[in-house]
Amino acid sequence: MIRTEYIETMDGQKSLRLRRFLREMHFVIKQEPKTKKSLKKENKIHFRKAIKKQLQKNKRRAYRGDIILQIDYYTTENNPPPLQTLSKNYLDLLHKPMPEIDNLVGILFKDDSQIKILIANYHLNEYGDNNPQIRINTSTLKSFYEDISLAYRIIRNDFSDKDYSNNYKFEEYLKDEDLDDNTDVYHDYNDLLKNQAKIKETFGEQYFLAREFLYKKEIQERYLSFNRINIYDLVHLFQSEFPDNRKYKDDKRFVKIWDSTKNYVFLASDYFDLGKAPSDEGDSKILKAQLREQLNEFKKKKPALFPFLVPLSIIVLFVPPKQNVVDLDNLARNYIVPFINEILRPPATHSKVMTDFSFFKQDSEIHQKYHPNSLTNYQILQLPRQDNSPENGEIKFVLTNGDTIYKNVRNTVDDIIRKWE
């Protein structure tokens, strides 16, 4: 069997996947996550040396092309820094020259513009079992595109030696992934509000508040869980970058098809549309004003979602402008995350929710003091520009369930592949 035939088989694809997997890089730096100002010089030196040492041990060098990067912050000290401020510090430490502390330059990557997908997770010490550390996982963007393509082949059983037993396996898997659109909870909640005077008179104020809490929590969990990116969404967003599709990138017929299917992603979930990306002077103020206005309007339209009773995360889809492209971390830190925390006030943990409601309060040990309102995670995906992309780019984002910080775009793909391997 010649190589071109072999790579169309399941074994051939597993071999290619293994090669990509072995090229991924994983780092664990055992130190308390801090901001640029609060991180001591010796800890900066330790962080940079540890990254460099592992690269040398594995005979690897800094990435030169585009990458996907996931960074997890495990905090233990009281009043940890906000999530969006941590990424700025550690991304800088991974690539910027810092002659005041060492002579290293471009340790893990050359420039933060290489990060096309950024996933940041915030782990507060809610249960007292955290060890202070920063975890970093990276791979090339090309490898991620190839993994999305493979996952899509798997669920379609698209191999020259296809195994028909896989059809049932992945039908069941995707069925498990589907959410039950049970509207009973909405009816029950509306009935509760309609009859609240009678319910309070019969069962008391505490009973009414407990039922309201439980209904609102379930409504919020359902709403946020529908706002996610699944494997089909990833295909719609990135299919122009798949190995077999690159030869059609200049074909207007394919570009038109890819562009139309990309819109399915926005129809399936409740996205905020912020319009063009900030690239010119004055754009920042406009973007922030639009964001504030949309978030406040969102609160008026969906009162059942407030106050938030479940942790919150966001997914940002970003088409860059032709010029003056803002980096992904800057987009999160300065334009989106602070406003969501300020206006929507999502609970940082489940413990925070329970302590706010007297009928659920429990005496438990406090392991860490932290700001009560914070996102648990954000994912920012920079989408490839097409010929028909807006000249000034565009930004869309969606609120999703912060309980599922491990269910990010990287793991969505890996879960399918692992189940198949």
Side-chain angles (χ1 to χ4, degrees), residues 18-29:
L18 178 60
R19 188 181 305 174
R20 293 194 297 271
F21 177 75
L22 293 175
R23 295 294 295 172
E24 293 178 9
M25 291 199 273
H26 307 273
F27 306 88
V28 180
I29 312 300

Side-chain angles (χ1 to χ4, degrees), residues 270 294-306:
D270 198 4
Q294 288 192 36
L295 289 174
N296 283 319
E297 186 64 25
F298 176 75
K299 288 182 71 173
K300 292 178 184 177
K301 287 183 177 180
K302 299 187 184 294
L305 298 182
F306 297 93

Side-chain angles (χ1 to χ4, degrees), residues 41-305:
K41 180 179 178 179
E42 56 265 31
N43 289 330
K44 293 179 182 180
I45 293 171
H46 168 72
F47 180 89
R48 285 161 68 89
K49 278 187 175 179
I51 298 291
K52 186 66 176 180
K53 183 177 179 180
Q54 186 168 331
L55 286 169
Q56 291 173 336
K57 180 180 177 181
N58 296 329
K59 298 180 180 179
R60 300 290 298 275
R61 61 184 181 184
Y63 288 103
R64 295 183 176 181
D66 295 337
I67 62 173
I68 171 174
L69 185 147
Q70 176 176 327
I71 186 163
D72 288 70
Y73 307 102
Y74 292 81
T75 69
T76 59
E77 292 183 359
N78 287 335
N79 304 311
L83 170 62
Q84 71 274 13
T85 64
L86 289 171
S87 293
K88 166 64 176 171
N89 181 32
Y90 289 99
L91 294 183
D92 283 352
L93 287 170
L94 289 170
H95 82 281
K96 279 193 172 182
M98 297 184 176
E100 70 279 9
I101 63 172
D102 59 35
N103 60 356
L104 300 176
V105 179
I107 303 170
L108 185 58
F109 47 86
K110 301 297 183 182
D111 188 86
D112 51 13
S113 64
Q114 293 171 243
I115 304 173
K116 301 304 184 189
I117 298 178
L118 175 62
I119 302 166
N121 296 325
Y122 198 40
H123 305 266
L124 293 169
N125 198 24
E126 184 175 6
Y127 304 108
D129 54 358
N130 271 7
N131 292 313
Q133 58 188 292
I134 300 102
R135 291 177 175 263
I136 300 168
N137 301 320
T138 60
S139 66
T140 66
L141 192 65
K142 179 176 179 287
S143 290
F144 183 55
Y145 290 154
E146 290 171 351
D147 280 348
I148 299 173
S149 179
L150 173 58
Y152 190 44
R153 291 185 72 166
I154 290 169
I155 61 177
R156 291 180 297 132
N157 203 12
D158 183 19
F159 305 100
S160 60
D161 58 342
K162 61 184 66 176
D163 177 359
Y164 288 98
S165 67
N166 275 339
N167 288 350
Y168 173 77
K169 183 193 300 184
F170 283 97
E171 281 175 7
E172 289 299 304
Y173 172 81
L174 294 171
K175 184 178 179 181
D176 291 342
E177 288 284 288
D178 285 340
L179 295 163
D180 178 20
D181 188 15
N182 184 353
T183 57
D184 287 348
V185 65
Y186 299 97
H187 295 149
D188 292 342
Y189 176 65
N190 287 329
D191 286 343
L192 181 78
L193 296 182
K194 188 186 300 182
N195 299 304
Q196 65 175 297
K198 185 176 180 180
I199 292 171
K200 288 179 180 179
E201 182 182 349
T202 306
F203 300 103
E205 178 82 14
Q206 288 291 87
Y207 175 85
F208 171 81
L209 292 175
R211 298 303 301 174
E212 182 186 39
F213 174 91
L214 293 172
Y215 285 145
K216 288 182 76 169
K217 188 171 185 295
E218 185 174 354
I219 288 170
Q220 292 176 17
E221 286 171 343
R222 288 177 181 277
Y223 171 80
L224 294 172
S225 295
F226 272 107
N227 291 337
R228 57 181 181 170
I229 288 186
N230 60 31
I231 185 60
Y232 297 110
D233 295 327
L234 289 171
V235 171
H236 294 325
L237 292 172
F238 296 116
Q239 59 188 325
S240 62
E241 308 304 309
F242 292 175
D244 293 340
N245 289 345
R246 288 179 190 140
K247 57 189 174 186
Y248 302 116
K249 287 192 71 171
D250 295 326
D251 189 319
K252 291 184 178 180
R253 294 170 300 172
F254 281 90
V255 172
K256 186 175 181 179
I257 293 170
W258 295 334
D259 192 54
S260 62
T261 57
K262 188 182 297 182
N263 290 328
Y264 296 158
V265 178
F266 306 120
L267 293 173
S269 299
D270 198 4
Y271 274 84
F272 292 78
D273 188 348
L274 298 181
K276 72 174 188 174
S279 58
D280 298 323
E281 189 176 348
D283 285 351
S284 298
K285 289 183 179 179
I286 295 171
L287 178 66
K288 290 175 181 178
Q290 288 177 336
L291 177 57
R292 187 181 292 277
E293 180 181 352
Q294 288 192 36
L295 289 174
N296 283 319
E297 186 64 25
F298 176 75
K299 288 182 71 173
K300 292 178 184 177
K301 287 183 177 180
K302 299 187 184 294
L305 298 182

